[in-house]
Amino acid sequence: MSQFWSQRTRELDPYTPGEQPKDTQYIKLNTNENPYPPSPKALAAIKAEASADLRLYSDPNSDDLKQAIAEFYNVEQAQVFVGNGSDEVLAHTFVALLKQNKPLLYPDISYSFYPVYSKLFGIDAKTIPLDQRFEINIDDYTVPNGGIIFPNPNAPTGIALPLEKIETMLQANPDSAVVVDEAYVDFGAETAISLINQYDNLLVIQTFSKSRSLAGLRVGFAVGNSNLIEGLERVKNSFNSYPLGRMDIAGAAASIRDVSYFQQTCQQIALTREQVSSKLSEMGFEVLPSSANFIFAKPCGVSAESLYLSLKEQGVLVRYFAYPRISDYLRITIGTDDEMQTFLQKIEGILA
Ligand SMILES: *Cc1c(COP(=O)(O)O)cnc(C)c1O
């Protein structure tokens, strides 16, 4: 605490990212990073940008990247917004669309950045409990609100909400922005981008960090009605005109244009996820049905916290949340088949 801190700074409750240890070589199954490298085409594009041209500012509008995203999703470039990681896109969304006179709604168990942004931007938020099965019940989102946000698939549960239910929610809330955070959608859920031309209140946010193996590049994007996008651009241009560097723009554009590499790695992760889920179920774990690149599971015969600690001691990092309702569960990121083999062997050893 410093006397120079503003009142707002004193009151903040910052987000705590998963551990990124710099000492031991861990098998990292704790921050939902992709175990496979980025597309070789993305790496080549990034290297090509490491030139004398870095003395020049990047394109403030990231037009080539927006064009590549628009082509991939068959939307207009004016329906695409890009930012420095989807966390930044989310921050601009909170300011541009979700700070209203009525409360913002999001699930009680969800991405823990939402309460952090609500506090930072002075947004009144109301959490809506997931049901007994940790699912979003759309009927609970019909109360008066100034906006709705949720991840789909949800984090850290991995459970996906079907597109028909999202559509019902959009119809029930025509006067609120409904924001779907699709950080994990490519691993097995259906994107809501197909609905943006029908619903002017829908904003879909995605990231290159998970399904495109570019967490270290920091690129995220939003797709929605051009009026929503214009609102985001107004906030972005009041904050940072050049959120993406030359290497970010080139790498992300090459990545989204490499469709076959993307599909192949996503499929592999989904396959590994199903195999690991069955193994954990056989061991007596309660495994939630995941459509993401992680599994949320309740161990059997040992507490989640002690299993987390034992695994860490043996060089495997998973994520444990000491939060209400979920402190009996671990979130396990899907790694390579070899990494998951080691993970399962360590668990067998610990439980024996
Ligand atoms: C990882 C994640 C993000 C943020 O990703 P960026 O790396 O900032 O693009 C956003 N939402 C959810 C639910 C996430 O899990």
Side-chain angles (χ1 to χ4, degrees):
M1 180 80 82
S2 156
Q3 58 167 316
F4 302 111
W5 286 9
S6 66
Q7 191 56 34
R8 177 64 60 85
T9 301
R10 286 163 202 258
E11 288 166 4
L12 291 180
D13 198 359
Y15 177 76
T16 321
E19 299 162 83
Q20 298 287 6
K22 296 195 172 61
D23 49 350
T24 329
Q25 280 295 327
Y26 285 99
I27 293 182
K28 274 195 88 264
L29 309 179
N30 69 326
T31 49
N32 297 342
E33 288 146 326
N34 198 307
Y36 301 108
S39 152
K41 291 179 182 164
L43 294 180
I46 292 165
K47 283 176 188 153
E49 283 298 312
S51 74
D53 281 351
L54 282 177
R55 74 191 177 82
L56 302 170
Y57 278 110
S58 53
D59 172 8
N61 294 316
S62 303
D63 280 331
D64 186 53
L65 174 56
K66 285 182 180 169
Q67 194 51 49
I69 294 167
E71 277 165 20
F72 185 80
Y73 282 112
N74 199 18
V75 297
E76 301 293 320
Q77 195 179 316
Q79 295 174 314
V80 179
F81 177 81
V82 297
N84 187 243
S86 63
D87 285 339
E88 187 188 76
V89 177
L90 284 165
H92 291 339
T93 301
F94 272 64
V95 175
L97 309 175
L98 303 178
K99 187 173 165 65
Q100 304 288 352
N101 292 325
K102 291 181 211 161
L104 167 66
L105 310 182
Y106 49 76
D108 62 337
I109 299 164
S110 166
Y111 189 36
S112 34
F113 231 124
Y114 304 158
V116 173
Y117 283 145
S118 298
K119 194 140 196 192
L120 174 64
F121 299 124
I123 296 169
D124 176 23
K126 182 168 155 39
T127 55
I128 307 289
L130 296 180
D131 71 12
Q132 298 298 331
R133 287 149 59 199
F134 286 139
E135 289 179 15
I136 289 174
N137 179 1
I138 56 166
D139 297 334
D140 298 339
Y141 290 78
T142 50
V143 295
N145 66 77
I148 298 173
I149 186 167
F150 59 93
N152 193 43
N154 197 6
T157 64
I159 297 176
L161 190 66
L163 206 52
E164 312 87 69
K165 295 204 172 176
I166 293 176
E167 193 161 6
T168 307
M169 195 190 260
L170 287 162
Q171 289 165 352
N173 293 279
D175 299 324
S176 300
V178 175
V179 181
V180 187
D181 179 354
E182 295 188 347
Y184 303 103
V185 75
D186 299 320
F187 299 107
E190 204 178 343
T191 178
I193 290 177
S194 58
L195 300 176
I196 62 158
N197 289 321
Q198 273 168 276
Y199 298 96
D200 62 0
N201 56 333
L202 169 64
L203 188 77
V204 177
I205 297 182
Q206 292 194 7
T207 176
F208 284 78
S209 296
K210 317 282 173 37
S211 57
R212 297 182 184 277
S213 307
L214 287 168
L217 203 63
R218 310 305 303 130
V219 184
F221 61 96
V223 184
N225 182 279
S226 57
N227 292 320
L228 298 185
I229 299 302
E230 192 185 336
L232 294 175
E233 297 287 357
R234 288 172 70 90
V235 173
K236 171 247 175 192
N237 288 320
S238 307
F239 178 76
N240 179 3
S241 323
Y242 304 96
L244 297 190
R246 289 172 169 268
M247 294 192 273
D248 308 326
I249 294 169
S255 165
I256 204 156
R257 287 180 173 128
D258 191 351
V259 178
S260 64
Y261 183 88
F262 163 72
Q263 289 175 338
Q264 212 181 311
T265 47
C266 288
Q267 274 166 21
Q268 180 57 57
I269 286 169
L271 189 67
T272 308
R273 176 189 70 218
E274 294 313 303
Q275 290 164 347
V276 176
S277 295
S278 320
K279 283 272 163 49
L280 289 175
S281 298
E282 282 168 31
M283 290 180 186
F285 281 57
E286 184 195 307
V287 183
L288 301 192
S290 173
S291 300
N293 68 335
F294 57 84
I295 293 169
F296 203 52
K298 182 177 172 178
C300 171
V302 59
S303 77
E305 186 175 22
S306 78
L307 183 57
Y308 154 73
L309 290 169
S310 303
L311 283 168
K312 186 175 178 183
E313 236 170 63
Q314 299 192 29
V316 179
L317 272 185
V318 298
R319 191 88 191 258
Y320 168 70
F321 300 94
Y323 297 158
R325 293 188 76 189
I326 56 170
S327 58
D328 290 340
Y329 290 79
L330 292 178
R331 192 194 67 190
I332 302 141
T333 304
I334 302 302
T336 61
D337 284 332
D338 279 356
E339 287 173 327
M340 299 320 284
Q341 205 61 43
T342 306
F343 162 77
L344 290 166
Q345 281 164 2
K346 303 266 186 209
I347 291 197
E348 276 174 351
I350 293 163
L351 294 179

